[in-house]
Amino acid sequence: MTTSRIRTYYGVSIGILMVNSTFQRYVGDIGNASTWNFPVQYKIVHDAVPSRMTELHEASLLDPFKRAADELIEAGVDGITTTCGFLSIYQKELADYCSVPVATSSLLQVPMVERMLPTGKTVGIMTYNGDVLNGPYLDAVEVDRATPVAGIPQDSNFVRWIKEGDTSVSYETLKSEVVGTAKNFVAANPDIGALVLECTNLAPFSHWIAEATGLPVYDTVTMVNAFQASLRPRAYPMW
């Protein structure tokens, strides 16, 4: 996007508000810059530690996210996204506040994906914590509360990996837990026609989820790629 505003840096269309975490972020994770075929700019929101991200309906972190977004926009980004899908709860507030477009959560894709499916099929949401992803987190991005949701088991290595920043948990262990959760979810809900992954840390395993379930999978990568493509549309030759 070309604008006349003064910038500190140029050529970075996507700014990413980052949870203050220490776990390993594999390629495919929004927080691993190797995931992207375009430059991104990160800004850590220091108050936003993983344990607080599922409590946003009880204790607000909106102001720290606004301040961090201000810094990214002032420096030069053209759009804002985040590293946690639970930030859907702030979609309207951040979109109203920021001077550039904001896409807080991969959950923004759910209404679109629903309309792609035939009658009788529904979207299934996979999340970090299925006990919490309800009510305000869904309402904020116009997701029907009746949408099936499956959380990663809270006693899993996956959850411990994120909560405790345990870098000793292997990729294969995480993959096994995530894929197992997906298979059980789809088996229990045969009407699911596509999956949307709320948790940005599930995205490194999207390929394996799709392979195991036979379903389309939408995640933070599919959302941010589309978001960036709208900010920097491709130029085509005349013929």
Side-chain angles (χ1 to χ4, degrees):
M1 181 180 294
T2 302
T3 71
S4 59
R5 79 176 200 259
I6 298 171
R7 304 165 183 250
T8 300
Y9 45 72
Y10 293 78
V12 182
S13 52
I14 296 291
I16 301 175
L17 298 174
M18 192 161 189
V19 173
N20 187 9
S21 60
T22 57
F23 57 87
Q24 171 69 46
R25 289 181 178 270
Y26 295 98
V27 178
D29 190 297
I30 191 172
N32 186 321
S34 298
T35 298
W36 311 109
N37 293 323
F38 43 83
V40 298
Q41 183 70 37
Y42 294 102
K43 177 66 181 178
I44 298 171
V45 182
H46 290 282
D47 293 335
V49 295
S51 61
R52 298 188 68 182
M53 301 313 295
T54 54
E55 300 174 352
L56 299 177
H57 57 294
E58 297 176 342
S60 178
L61 286 174
L62 180 57
D63 285 342
F65 276 94
K66 284 182 175 179
R67 290 193 295 270
D70 280 340
E71 292 186 35
L72 285 172
I73 295 165
E74 183 178 358
V77 304
D78 298 311
I80 295 288
T81 188
T82 83
T83 65
C84 181
F86 277 86
L87 287 161
S88 63
I89 200 169
Y90 296 153
Q91 175 61 40
K92 185 178 189 306
E93 288 85 350
L94 286 175
D96 285 347
Y97 177 80
C98 293
S99 59
V100 300
V102 176
T104 55
S105 172
S106 61
L107 294 175
L108 287 163
Q109 299 169 109
V110 173
M112 176 190 73
V113 176
E114 282 182 333
R115 285 156 181 78
M116 295 180 180
L117 300 177
T119 301
K121 289 293 184 180
T122 188
V123 175
I125 298 171
M126 287 184 63
T127 178
Y128 171 77
N129 189 329
D131 294 330
V132 178
L133 190 73
N134 52 41
Y137 298 97
L138 302 180
D139 294 345
V141 285
E142 300 185 5
V143 174
D144 189 336
R145 291 191 181 197
T147 304
V149 174
I152 304 298
Q154 293 301 289
D155 61 352
S156 64
N157 288 290
F158 183 93
V159 169
R160 182 169 58 83
W161 167 62
I162 292 175
K163 272 188 176 179
E164 301 176 12
D166 186 352
T167 57
S168 70
V169 182
S170 72
Y171 178 92
E172 287 301 322
T173 295
L174 299 170
K175 172 185 166 184
S176 176
E177 290 182 342
V178 168
V179 171
T181 299
K183 290 171 68 175
N184 291 339
F185 183 34
V186 172
N189 296 270
D191 292 340
I192 290 176
L195 293 168
V196 173
L197 311 185
E198 168 275 320
C199 181
T200 64
N201 316 119
L202 290 171
F205 312 103
S206 292
H207 169 84
W208 308 111
I209 293 170
E211 189 174 73
T213 63
L215 296 176
V217 177
Y218 298 81
D219 56 23
T220 189
V221 177
T222 59
M223 182 189 73
V224 173
N225 278 332
F227 189 27
Q228 193 272 343
S230 71
L231 298 172
R232 295 287 177 92
R234 177 181 168 187
Y236 298 97
M238 292 180 63
W239 49 72

